[in-house]
Structures are given as structure tokens and as C-alpha cells.
Amino acid sequence: MQRSRWTTLLFVGPAVLWLAVFFGAPVVATLWVSLTDEQGVDEDSRFIGLANYTRLLKDPYFIDTFWVMLKILFIGGAAVFAISFLFMTILREMRFKRFARAVMFAPYIVIPVALAILWGVLLNPQTGLLNSLLDLVGAGALKRVWLGPDWIFTSVVIGLIWLSTGFYTTLLCAGVDRIPAHYYEAAELEGASRWHQFVRVTIPMTWDVIGTAAVLWVIGAINTFGFIFAFSGAGATPDKRTWTPAIYLYLETFDPLNGSLSYGYGCAIAVMLMLLVAVSVALIRRVFRREAVQF
């Protein structure tokens, strides 16, 4: 027994030490800095308690970014999962489904920055491919200033949906592939429609996969940064209508909005995001918790 404990410690110890040094220590440092008025590495700082958090709850910029994040979380999430479920149902019986999945998954393996720049080029009002195609097919009335104030947020959300759908479709398809075919055969013999098969067989049998996908989407939506920041163009600050808490954190900490860096305030935003992720994941896991289904 003693030898087994030492063997376990030998394998687990390095991983625990790695997490403690490179994850635990930065988290503790972030918590501490969030309680100070730190404005730079070489600047003197003083302990100010919860003042940064009090300011945060009254900050109109942060409140606006919070609402933007919620829109991405719920509107974008609803669209991503609806489209993913649709594609999953289609691909389940498709002849060349493996190839189709690979094609759909391809955008996800490209770095978001590159896709964001491409998306911005496609939607450029003057030279973009989208408006050019609308002119070509005689639908010029549908042309919009996609990067203008009226459409910028919609363009960002559609871009995030495009970027994410392939990944979640692939994830859900993997869950469906493990369902034995005889469940669907039995449902067909009982006269179940495709919709009832989806509700009574597919959803229950992939409930754990759906829960995992929901957790990944929530974490990604809360921490949305790279795609939106790159979408604005190199060296430019994103339109305020697309700011998320993560973007506001960056601007406050590394790109001063008010003429000075605010490390302490930025760390307070980071702590709030960590708490939001932790609470959201805990709630999702509780909603999707159930006994394991054996099949």
C-alpha cells in the first residue's frame, strides 16, 4: 500500500507542482493586485481593499461589456447549438460524413486572429466579397455597411457562430456515433418520427456530451477576446459596441483608456471573470448532472 502511494505521488506530484507554480501562484498574485491601486511594475502601490470591485460594479463601461458578453453567450449560443444539432442530424446519415465533418471542423483549427481578419475583409463595405456578391446576383438592396455602428455587433456574432459551429457539430456527432444503431431501429419499428427519435433517443443518449459542449461554449463566450480584437483591424481599438469584459480588461491594463495603466483594476476584472466562469460551470454541471447511461 505504501509503495502504491509513493508511485501515485511520483506521477501526480510533478503535475500538481506545475499547476501550483504556473496557475495557482498567478491566481493568488492576481487576487492580491486586485486589492491594490497598482499602475505599473515600477510604480508604488498601496492596499485599497475592495475599492476596485466597488468601482467595477458602478463602471458603465464594464456594465456595457457585461451585456455584450451575455448577448454573445445566449444569442450566439442558441444559434450555434441549433445549427450544430441540425448539421448533426444531417451528417448522421450522410454518405461522406467523415469528409463533411473534416471540412466543417477546418475553420476551428485556424487561429481566430486570421479568421477575424478574413471576416473583416469579406465584410468590407467598399471592397468586401459579400457586398460584391450581392451586386452580382442583383440583390444590391441587401447591401449594408457591415462594419458600421448599426451592423458591427451582428457581424461579430455571425463571425463567432461561423467559427464555432464546426467544432460543436463535430463534438455532438462524436456523441451520436457511440449510440448503438438498434436504438434507432427499435424507434422506427415503433413508428417514431425523426423528431421523436431526436428527442427520445439522441438527446438522452448524448446528454453528457451536450453538457460538456455547453461548458466549453460558456467559458469561450465569457473570455471572448482574440476574434473581436483582430476583427477591428491591426492597431485599432474595437468598436465599443463589441467590447467584452476581456477586451475591457486588456484596454484598462495594457492600453490605457484614461492616460495611465490600471493593473489593480484590470486584475479586479480578471477575478470577476474567473468567478463568473466558476459559477457558470457549476450551474451547468448541476443542470446536466445525472446517472451515467450504460449502452
Side-chain angles (χ1 to χ4, degrees):
M1 179 64 98
Q2 188 69 23
R3 182 177 180 180
S4 177
R5 290 178 178 176
W6 279 108
T7 302
T8 302
L9 182 62
L10 178 64
F11 284 98
V12 175
V16 173
L17 181 62
W18 177 274
L19 288 173
V21 172
F22 294 101
F23 180 77
V27 168
V28 173
T30 299
L31 287 169
W32 167 251
V33 175
S34 73
L35 302 175
T36 70
D37 62 352
E38 180 73 57
Q39 294 184 339
V41 177
D42 298 326
E43 301 290 335
D44 293 331
S45 62
R46 58 190 179 89
F47 180 80
I48 58 174
L50 299 176
N52 284 325
Y53 295 95
T54 302
R55 172 189 168 190
L56 190 64
L57 297 176
K58 299 177 181 179
D59 186 346
Y61 286 118
F62 178 76
I63 294 172
D64 287 344
T65 64
F66 187 80
W67 286 113
V68 169
M69 180 202 70
L70 289 181
K71 290 177 184 177
I72 293 174
L73 177 62
F74 290 107
I75 298 176
V80 165
F81 279 90
I83 298 172
S84 297
F85 276 121
L86 176 62
F87 284 154
M88 176 196 72
T89 304
I90 295 172
L91 292 174
R92 187 170 67 85
E93 299 180 359
M94 195 172 179
R95 185 175 181 182
F96 300 104
K97 59 183 179 181
R98 294 183 183 275
F99 175 75
R101 290 180 192 178
V103 172
M104 292 188 62
F105 189 76
Y108 196 81
I109 63 178
V110 180
I111 58 174
V113 172
L115 289 176
I117 295 173
L118 172 63
W119 194 245
V121 171
L122 293 175
L123 298 182
N124 187 289
Q126 286 77 38
T127 61
L129 180 61
L130 180 57
N131 280 349
S132 298
L133 286 176
L134 291 174
D135 276 332
L136 185 64
V137 299
L142 297 178
K143 291 170 58 176
R144 297 289 186 273
V145 184
W146 303 108
L147 305 184
D150 295 332
W151 287 91
I152 183 68
F153 178 74
T154 302
S155 299
V156 165
V157 173
I158 294 175
L160 289 171
I161 293 170
W162 169 59
L163 173 65
S164 306
T165 298
F167 171 77
Y168 290 98
T169 299
T170 304
L171 188 62
L172 294 175
C173 284
V176 171
D177 285 346
R178 65 180 185 168
I179 301 176
H182 62 77
Y183 283 99
Y184 290 103
E185 295 171 357
E188 288 183 2
L189 291 175
E190 292 293 333
S193 64
R194 293 298 177 89
W195 170 252
H196 283 94
Q197 289 180 37
F198 177 75
V199 173
R200 301 295 184 181
V201 178
T202 304
I203 294 296
M205 292 295 184
T206 57
W207 192 246
D208 56 336
V209 178
I210 296 172
T212 300
V215 168
L216 293 175
W217 172 258
V218 167
I219 294 174
I222 292 174
N223 294 314
T224 301
F225 174 80
F227 183 88
I228 296 178
F229 203 86
F231 183 76
S232 65
T237 299
D239 189 289
K240 288 185 179 180
R241 297 169 184 81
T242 64
W243 285 10
T244 61
I247 290 176
Y248 187 45
L249 184 161
Y250 172 82
L251 294 175
E252 278 284 343
T253 309
F254 302 108
D255 188 10
L257 291 172
N258 302 313
S260 62
L261 300 177
S262 301
Y263 283 15
Y265 191 55
C267 286
I269 299 175
V271 172
M272 291 293 286
L273 290 180
M274 285 192 294
L275 291 175
L276 185 58
V277 167
V279 171
S280 299
V281 170
L283 289 175
I284 293 173
R285 289 179 63 86
R286 185 173 183 83
V287 169
F288 285 88
R289 182 176 60 188
R290 70 168 188 180
E291 295 182 2
V293 177
Q294 300 294 331
F295 53 84

